[in-house]
Amino acid sequence: DTEVTQTPKHLVMGMTNKKSLKCEQHMGHRAMYWYKQKAKKPPELMFVYSYEKLSINESVPSRFSPECPNSSLLNLHLHALQPEDSALYLCASSQRNEGPGELFFGEGSRLTVL
Amino acid sequence: AQSVAQPEDQVNVAEGNPLTVKCTYSVSGNPYLFWYVQYPNRGLQFLLKYITGDNLVKGSYGFEAEFNKSQTSFHLKKPSALVSDSALYFCAVRDGGSYIPTFGRGTSLIVHP
């Protein structure tokens, strides 16, 4: 069982909707990540939060807006998405944002944009 | 700069036979190397990592990986494959100066009964 919890598991939304993906971890990790993954492809980094501050934003469109309310929670706010944004969105955490720590992934939120 | 290559899109192996999934890497400093597995419609799960020390690393589910510095490789191995090992496997690398791993393109392992 994963120790990173993502909700919802599935989300269908129209291009004009506003929705949010949520992620929670209780391992005391100080780095949290959002990845986007298309079928049978490697995960693509979107955002990294380190000690609750946004440290990396990989030129992701502004229709994706991350938020880190505290060290255990990470949200991804979605607005005016396009059909090509349909993908599996993975949250991950790691003990520190440097060094050899592995990533712990959630099960993902599968997003379909109609 | 760091990069990782998984030269095979797919590996097929019969149940009970040994399996190898290949990975080569390039980093400017000392590498931290990882293998992750992804089952259908699931997130990625950490299998094992190399930081330093013994070149043979043992991980979850009977998997192991051999670090070879001269060949810059970190191949994933298992002595006897199970049908349940069928999944997508990702190799990842990060060097000591970076905290963001670079993932390989993934290798689909299919174990036939």
Side-chain angles (χ1 to χ4, degrees):
Chain A
D1 286 341
T2 182
E3 296 181 72
V4 177
T5 304
Q6 290 188 242
T7 54
K9 293 191 186 309
H10 300 276
L11 179 62
V12 179
M13 59 187 290
M15 289 190 283
T16 58
N17 292 158
K18 285 186 181 181
K19 297 285 185 184
S20 297
L21 305 180
K22 298 183 184 300
C23 175
E24 188 171 9
Q25 58 90 10
H26 292 289
M27 295 177 281
H29 290 174
R30 302 312 301 268
M32 296 186 76
Y33 310 71
W34 278 116
Y35 283 89
K36 173 184 177 181
Q37 187 185 29
K38 292 283 198 179
K40 297 193 181 295
K41 298 293 185 184
E44 300 170 32
L45 182 66
M46 300 175 74
F47 303 103
V48 180
Y49 273 85
S50 173
Y51 293 86
E52 297 132 63
K53 292 184 179 177
L54 183 64
S55 63
I56 289 189
N57 174 348
E58 293 278 303
S59 301
V60 176
S62 59
R63 57 185 184 267
F64 295 92
S65 174
E67 179 196 17
C68 190
N70 60 54
S71 59
S72 300
L73 294 173
L74 185 65
N75 299 322
L76 186 63
H77 302 298
L78 314 171
H79 174 54
L81 296 193
Q82 303 297 309
E84 60 264 29
D85 297 322
S86 298
L88 182 67
Y89 288 83
L90 294 165
C91 174
S93 68
S94 65
Q95 192 170 27
R96 302 189 318 216
N97 61 1
E98 69 276 352
E102 63 271 24
L103 297 179
F104 291 77
F105 284 87
E107 296 287 18
S109 293
R110 185 162 299 281
L111 173 67
T112 302
V113 182
L114 302 177
Chain B
Q2 57 191 35
S3 65
V4 61
Q6 292 181 244
E8 302 150 319
D9 277 339
Q10 185 170 302
V11 169
N12 292 277
V13 64
E15 187 173 33
N17 283 0
L19 70 87
T20 298
V21 183
K22 295 179 181 177
C23 172
T24 59
Y25 67 90
S26 173
V27 295
S28 54
N30 291 322
Y32 300 136
L33 294 154
F34 306 84
W35 276 103
Y36 293 86
V37 61
Q38 186 175 31
Y39 298 100
N41 299 310
R42 305 291 296 275
L44 278 70
Q45 294 178 37
F46 167 73
L47 275 180
L48 49 80
K49 67 182 175 185
Y50 172 83
I51 303 170
T52 187
D54 255 348
N55 289 341
L56 187 63
V57 179
K58 293 190 184 295
S60 307
Y61 313 121
F63 284 93
E64 58 190 28
E66 186 168 11
F67 172 67
N68 187 317
K69 188 173 183 179
S70 62
Q71 296 185 8
T72 61
S73 66
F74 189 56
H75 300 331
L76 182 70
K77 300 182 180 187
K78 188 174 182 181
S80 179
L82 299 172
V83 172
S84 57
D85 293 329
S86 298
L88 189 56
Y89 290 80
F90 291 100
C91 181
V93 66
R94 58 201 274 188
D95 69 29
S98 168
Y99 59 93
I100 304 300
T102 296
F103 286 89
R105 65 177 181 172
T107 298
S108 179
L109 173 67
I110 299 175
V111 181
H112 302 277

